Amino acid sequence: MKVAIIGAGMAGLTVARRLQANGAEVTVFDKSKGTGGRLSSRSFEGGWIDHGAPYFPVDSPEFHDFLTKYLSAETLQRWQPPVSGTLREDEKAHFIGVPRNSAITRALLGDLCFQPSTRIARLERGPDGWQLFNDGESLLGVWPQVVIAVPAPQALALLQGQPSLAEVIAPVKMEPCWVAAVRTKTKLTAQADISVYQDTVVRRVTHNSAKTGRLNTDVYLVQATKSWSVAHLEESAANIGPQLQKRFDQLVASDATSELLFTHRWRYAFTETVLGQPFLWDDISKLGVCGDWCLGRKLEDAWQSGTQMASQMLLAAS
Ligand SMILES: Cc1cc2nc3c(=O)[nH]c(=O)nc-3n(C[C@H](O)[C@H](O)[C@H](O)COP(=O)(O)OP(=O)(O)OC[C@H]3O[C@@H](n4cnc5c(N)ncnc54)[C@H](O)[C@@H]3O)c2cc1C
């Protein structure tokens, strides 16, 4: 079985790992320089800042087993720090990657064949399978089977020639999220490591430096609310950063103002309207689609979707 997987986030790498473990020849593509997708981390002054999911719950023993099969005890650690405010299910703290969250997807990648910095611009069905083209319209190769493991709107763009799959995905909605990394000039002794606010601008603040291995001090990730992110979606990062920083300063009531480190827009951060089935698979054209948005809005949903996608493909091949 020869398979191309588009997307090196949790969903894509889960499919890749399961298929490779069952003898498939897998190639993974991602438009970014590395793995992780929305579980990404940025290097900063020799340490790390997690600017996607700051941590994640692991609810099922099967997800835990999968992670511990591929990750060392040092890479996957429990993190249950002081919390203020009421967390939603997907915001509940359980685990982090060490020294950064993207260490998890890096470990899952292992020895898989990976083509980073390669955005798949389109797919075309030829006599021998799927032809994949990059942004420059260069043909990257032909694969009998392809899995698209990217956020729903990006999957839709790749499914232009597949109306039957595109139609099913079309109702899925995803919401944006602006985030800013800030560093305080003094220690916030009264601030919980995870704070959730009932605020119009800021939803959640996570103390990045409180997580093992980040090698920085007093760095916080500030996550904007859905409505504020939607209202300011097309503004520049240069404009957004200072606004999030100012609101952070007010919320944490810090005497000294903070320093803004960087701002990032996640255009498709969270699932708003879920697909309601774990994956899509067209057994005639051998094209599959998976991702967190099939089942929910958290990392474990991405894993669950990828797991079931791979099971279906293995079943179809048997
Ligand atoms: C700010 C933020 C906070 C979050 N907080 C939490 C939390 O507290 N708890 C929790 O459980 N979850 C949280 N999440 C959600 C969690 O990160 C996602 O559910 C999960 O990472 C989704 O994994 P995925 O593999 O489905 O998609 P992604 O991680 O989005 O992976 C898709 C990959 O596809 C690549 N890609 C897209 N299009 C193309 C293309 N055309 N060609 C090549 N590559 C392409 C992307 O670069 C990306 O790497 C958060 C997300 C964000 C953004």
Side-chain angles (χ1 to χ4, degrees):
M1 192 195 275
K2 197 177 156 213
V3 186
I5 295 172
I6 306 170
M10 177 57 75
L13 291 173
T14 300
V15 179
R17 271 289 159 204
R18 283 212 61 202
L19 293 183
Q20 199 203 40
N22 284 277
E25 189 190 318
V26 173
T27 305
V28 182
F29 294 91
D30 203 291
K31 64 185 170 72
S32 300
K33 278 186 288 181
T35 61
R38 282 170 278 156
L39 193 65
S40 290
S41 313
R42 262 195 211 189
S43 67
F44 175 74
E45 291 184 354
W48 298 96
I49 299 175
D50 304 310
H51 63 295
Y55 55 81
F56 54 91
V58 174
D59 292 327
S60 70
E62 291 81 9
F63 185 33
H64 189 256
D65 289 351
F66 173 82
L67 292 174
T68 51
K69 181 172 170 193
Y70 291 105
L71 312 179
S72 64
E74 293 75 43
T75 310
L76 180 72
Q77 292 189 13
R78 278 189 184 275
W79 192 54
Q80 286 174 307
V83 173
S84 86
T86 309
L87 301 174
R88 282 193 314 255
E89 278 307 302
D90 60 302
E91 294 171 332
K92 289 196 173 148
H94 284 274
F95 286 90
I96 54 168
V98 175
R100 62 187 199 271
N101 280 347
S102 57
I104 292 174
T105 48
R106 189 68 197 78
L108 287 178
L109 181 69
D111 62 353
L112 289 169
C113 173
F114 182 42
Q115 295 203 20
S117 306
T118 309
R119 195 181 86 87
I120 304 301
R122 70 183 177 89
L123 321 171
E124 196 173 302
R125 190 130 181 259
D128 302 321
W130 290 101
Q131 301 175 324
L132 266 57
F133 295 87
N134 67 10
D135 274 331
E137 270 298 305
S138 295
L139 176 64
L140 300 168
V142 181
W143 282 267
Q145 307 199 31
V146 171
V147 174
I148 301 173
V150 307
Q154 292 169 324
L156 204 52
L158 288 170
L159 290 170
Q160 294 294 322
Q162 300 299 308
S164 59
L165 292 180
E167 246 170 50
V168 185
I169 292 178
V172 175
K173 298 264 172 303
M174 299 197 71
E175 57 190 59
C177 181
W178 276 107
V179 297
V182 296
R183 178 156 56 188
T184 55
K185 290 179 182 155
T186 51
K187 221 168 196 53
L188 299 181
T189 44
Q191 179 76 8
D193 288 332
I194 301 169
S195 301
V196 172
Y197 297 96
Q198 297 300 320
D199 183 58
T200 51
V201 181
V202 170
R203 166 68 191 163
R204 176 170 59 168
V205 170
T206 308
H207 189 190
N208 187 80
S209 309
K211 295 183 271 183
T212 310
R214 269 56 184 175
L215 296 180
N216 48 48
T217 48
D218 306 326
V219 174
Y220 290 81
L221 190 82
V222 183
Q223 193 181 307
T225 59
K226 171 187 162 185
S227 56
W228 196 87
S229 297
V230 169
H232 296 77
L233 184 59
E234 301 305 340
E235 285 179 33
S236 69
N239 197 18
I240 292 295
Q243 296 183 64
L244 287 180
Q245 178 193 14
K246 185 174 167 205
R247 190 66 192 132
F248 167 80
D249 286 343
Q250 291 165 345
L251 286 169
V252 304
S254 165
D255 291 341
T257 53
S258 58
E259 175 194 358
L260 177 64
L261 304 178
F262 66 80
T263 311
H264 183 88
R265 175 181 58 197
W266 292 102
R267 190 176 280 281
Y268 307 116
F270 300 107
T271 311
E272 189 179 341
T273 310
V274 75
L275 179 68
Q277 58 187 85
F279 59 86
L280 293 175
W281 174 246
D282 179 0
D283 202 36
I284 295 170
S285 66
K286 306 284 179 202
L287 180 64
V289 192
C290 64
D292 61 343
W293 49 271
C294 292
L295 291 169
R297 53 184 281 143
K298 57 187 201 294
L299 191 74
E300 185 161 353
D301 296 316
W303 168 79
Q304 184 65 254
S305 172
T307 300
Q308 296 201 41
M309 172 89 264
S311 297
Q312 171 62 47
M313 293 172 77
L314 292 169
L315 187 71
S318 64

